Structure formats: structure tokens, C-alpha cells
């Protein structure tokens, strides 16, 4: 059973204080990551346009979400080991690894050097990845944070300076995260706290998360991961073709149901819509289909808004709000341990 009162109980909230502090410090992580890379960024200049950009490793999808709509060259995410067979001296390989010693990233960087590719690498100084990537054609950004999203900001700044992506500034992203920390603070009561509202909407439900823009869709996948981990329930993110059948097939609501007898399999879905204010027309149509399916099935719809600031600031706002919501959901379900 979900304990609504725990979300505004200082004693209960104290049990998730460490997690809430980590999320609240996200803005500071962005500033640290940018500060560590500032000297290198000040020397970055436009390069000869590469034939293609290859983002190696599991973090490449975020870069694709930001760059793909405007990047002047083909952009490929390669989450596997090594590099695609065609990668060569005309291509730029991007490798980001906060740990600095993951084998997949180290191997990718070494392979890129062997093939003569240009490299843009973010990792701790002196790490295995730093050593493997060192070379004349490498732009190395020292990692000032172990947080992947924070570390992505200076990498995106470098790609802009290289003439390959949109302008991204660290401070507006950090300020947006600071604002989320204020709005979603444990001291802000449920009726005025967007993250607690999401947790309450999901209290007795299976989360179904959707984002309309490319970045909001990426945020939806990350938020669904956080909700799964916090609740122990399945949480799904996807496009409307995948999610409409889940909403349409929701079990019929039963106001006389006994929650102690009805197991988790009887939980009904709740639709969380991540809205960054940049939905293209095709996404607006998809949203209408989802909302209509939810209405027909009497499924609750919970919007999460981030409609101000840059693309990355909006993405970070959605992601941070989702992380707060997951923490509060876990608390209400008694899973904070």
C-alpha cells in the first residue's frame, strides 16, 4: 500500500535524504564538469568537417537526440564494442566514460587511434581511456564529474565549437536543475510539488511514460528506468504505437477492489507525458492518440512540463523531475531501503 502521508513527513523523508541530496546537487555537477573542461574548450576551434560522427558506448543516444536534427554530417550511435567497419581517418569518434576504465570505451578509443580517426573524449585525467586516446588528433576533456548527463554538457559545448552541433551553455542547464531542486524539494508539500504529484499519480499504477520530441522521448526512457528501480514495478517508455495498446488493454477499474487481495498484476497503467514544449506536428498527433486511448480506458494522465530554456535545460528538467518522482514513489511504497 502507498503511504501518501510519508511524502510530507519529515521523519520519513529523512530516510531518502541521501538520494534527494544527490539529485539536488545535479546543477553543481554540471558546473564542476564545465569548469574542469573550460581550459580545453577555450582552445577548441572549428575543424574540417568530418564525413560522419560516431558516438561510441552506451551514452551516445543523448548526443544523437541533441545533434541529429541539426548536425551537418551523418551521426551514428555505436553502443557495441569497437567501431563500425567503415570508420576511418575522415570520421570523428566521440567517447564519454566517467569511470575512465570501461573496457568497451577503452577499446573503441584505441581502435579509433589505430584507424586514424579524430577523437573527442571525456574521461578522468590519467585514466586508461585518457592513455588509450592520447594523440595529435584527440581533443581530450578532463572529467570534472562522475555524472554522465553533467559530463555530456561540455562534450556538447565542444561539438558546437567544432561546428557540428547547436550551442549549449552549462550555466542555464545548471540553473534549470537548481530550480527543479527548489520546486521538488522535500520541504515543498505535495499539493505544490510536481515530483510528489507524479509519485501520487503512480501510487497504485504501472507507469507508462511518453515524450513527444526527440529529447523528451530520451528523457522518458531514462525516467522509466528510474521508476522501475524505485518501485519494483514494470515501467514502460516508447512511442504511441507501442503504448496505445497498453492503455487500451488496461483492466477495467473496480472501485470495490481490495488492494490486499488484488496483486500487482491488477495494477492499472497511468500515463506520464513529458512535455518540453517542442513537439513536432507528428508528435502532437501521437499525443492526441495516447490521450484519447487513456480517456477511453479511464486511465489517469499526469503531465510533466519543462517549456522554458534551452533544449538541454528542458531535457535536464524533465529528467531531474522524474528522478525526484521516483525517489518519492519508492518512499511511499516503503522501498527506500
Amino acid at each position: 500500500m502507498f503511504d501518501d502521508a510519508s511524502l510530507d513527513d519529515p521523519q520519513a523523508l529523512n530516510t531518502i535524504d541521501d538520494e534527494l541530496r544527490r539529485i539536488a546537487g545535479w546543477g553543481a555537477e554540471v558546473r564542476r564538469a564545465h569548469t574542469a573542461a573550460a581550459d580545453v574548450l577555450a582552445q577548441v576551434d572549428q575543424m574540417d568537417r568530418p564525413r560522419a560522427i560516431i558516438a561510441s558506448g552506451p551514452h551516445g543516444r543523448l548526443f544523437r537526440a541533441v545533434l541529429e536534427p541539426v548536425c551537418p554530417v551523418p551521426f551514428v550511435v555505436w553502443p557495441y564494442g569497437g567501431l563500425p567497419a567503415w570508420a576511418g581517418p575522415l570520421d570523428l569518434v566521440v567517447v564519454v566514460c566517467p569511470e575512465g576504465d570501461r573496457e568497451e570505451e577503452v577499446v573503441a578509443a584505441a581502435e579509433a587511434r589505430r584507424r586514424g580517426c579524430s577523437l573527442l573524449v571525456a574521461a578522468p585525467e590519467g585514466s586508461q581511456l585518457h592513455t588509450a586516446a592520447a594523440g595529435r588528433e584527440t581533443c581530450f576533456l578532463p572529467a570534472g564529474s562522475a555524472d554522465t548527463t553533467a559530463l555530456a554538457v561540455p562534450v556538447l559545448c565542444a561539438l558546437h565549437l567544432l561546428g557540428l552541433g547547436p550551442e549549449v551553455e552549462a550555466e542555464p542547464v545548471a540553473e534549470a536543475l537548481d530550480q527543479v531542486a527548489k520546486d521538488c524539494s522535500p520541504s515543498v508539500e505535495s499539493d505544490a510539488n510536481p515530483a510528489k504529484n507524479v509519485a501520487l499519480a503512480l501510487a497504485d499504477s504501472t507507469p507508462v511514460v511518453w515524450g513527444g520530441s526527440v529529447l523528451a522521448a530520451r528523457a522518458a526512457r531514462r525516467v522509466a528506468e528510474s521508476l522501475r528501480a524505485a518501485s519494483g514495478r514494470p515501467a514502460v517508455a516508447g512511442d504511441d504505437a507501442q503504448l496505445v495498446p497498453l492503455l487500451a488493454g488496461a483492466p477495467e477499474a473496480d472501485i470495490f477492489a481490495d488492494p490486499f487481495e488484488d496483486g500487482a498484476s491488477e495494477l492499472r497503467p497511468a500515463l506520464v507525458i513529458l512535455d518540453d514544449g517542442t513537439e513536432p506536428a507528428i508528435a502532437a498527433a501521437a499525443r492526441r492518440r495516447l490521450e484519447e486511448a487513456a480517456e477511453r480506458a479511464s486511465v489517469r494522465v499526469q503531465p510533466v512540463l519543462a517549456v522554458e530554456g534551452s533544449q538541454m535545460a528542458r531535457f535536464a528538467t524533465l529528467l531531474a523531475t522524474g528522478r525526484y518522482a521516483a525517489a518519492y514513489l519508492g518512499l511511499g511504497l516503503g522501498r527506500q531501503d
Side-chain angles (χ1 to χ4, degrees):
M1 292 293 292
F2 189 87
D3 181 6
D4 296 23
S6 67
L7 302 193
D8 293 322
D9 179 354
Q11 211 167 11
L13 288 164
N14 190 54
T15 63
I16 59 169
D17 185 65
D18 288 347
E19 175 62 13
L20 295 178
R21 285 180 182 274
R22 279 193 291 271
I23 307 170
W26 212 351
E29 290 291 329
V30 170
R31 292 185 179 94
R32 278 194 284 270
H34 183 75
T35 299
D39 289 344
V40 176
L41 291 173
Q43 301 174 39
V44 172
D45 200 358
Q46 287 206 9
M47 61 185 296
D48 291 338
R49 181 172 292 182
R51 175 180 60 179
I53 302 174
I54 304 161
S56 176
H59 311 306
R61 292 184 178 88
L62 171 57
F63 299 116
R64 181 175 64 187
V66 177
L67 267 69
E68 199 168 45
V70 296
C71 187
V73 300
F75 192 98
V76 177
V77 175
W78 193 259
Y80 321 104
L83 296 174
W86 50 264
L90 298 178
D91 304 308
L92 171 65
V93 176
V94 180
V95 184
V96 177
C97 183
E99 306 87 355
D101 58 0
R102 275 177 45 92
E103 183 178 1
E104 292 86 348
E105 282 85 346
V106 173
V107 169
E111 182 70 7
R113 281 203 62 205
R114 186 181 71 79
R115 298 196 200 180
C117 303
S118 298
L119 269 164
L120 173 59
V121 174
E125 289 188 282
S127 63
Q128 293 181 41
L129 180 53
H130 186 190
T131 301
R136 189 169 59 87
E137 299 299 323
T138 298
C139 176
F140 178 79
L141 301 175
S145 172
D147 181 87
T148 304
T149 305
L151 195 54
V153 174
V155 175
L156 288 167
C157 290
L159 288 166
H160 168 68
L161 293 169
L162 292 170
L164 298 170
E167 185 175 8
V168 176
E169 296 182 9
E171 188 55 29
V173 177
E175 289 175 356
L177 289 167
D178 291 345
Q179 187 61 50
V180 175
K182 293 177 183 176
D183 295 341
C184 300
S185 166
S187 63
V188 178
E189 295 189 355
S190 296
D191 58 355
N193 189 314
K196 290 181 181 180
N197 281 334
V198 174
L200 290 167
L202 299 175
D204 301 310
S205 305
T206 299
V208 175
V209 192
W210 179 83
S213 71
V214 176
L215 274 174
R218 178 65 191 149
R221 292 180 178 85
R222 296 277 301 276
V223 169
E225 290 170 6
S226 296
L227 293 171
R228 278 196 298 271
S231 68
R233 298 172 179 171
V236 183
D239 59 29
D240 63 305
Q242 297 166 319
L243 301 183
V244 165
L246 295 179
L247 300 176
E252 188 174 347
D254 182 2
I255 61 173
F256 300 108
D258 186 338
F260 292 100
E261 292 182 2
D262 296 337
S265 60
E266 296 300 317
L267 291 177
R268 306 185 76 248
L271 176 62
V272 179
I273 292 181
L274 304 187
D275 184 354
D276 66 359
T278 64
E279 292 175 5
I282 190 171
R287 178 172 179 162
R288 285 193 297 273
R289 287 191 288 272
L290 285 164
E291 291 175 334
E292 289 167 0
E295 184 177 5
R296 287 193 296 270
S298 299
V299 167
R300 182 169 184 170
V301 178
Q302 181 67 39
V304 178
L305 302 178
V307 295
E308 296 182 359
S310 67
Q311 279 188 311
M312 271 302 293
R314 297 180 191 205
F315 171 79
T317 296
L318 293 174
L319 202 53
T321 304
R323 283 184 62 185
Y324 270 110
Y328 292 132
L329 180 63
L331 173 64
L333 292 172
R335 290 176 53 87
Q336 64 272 24
D337 295 329

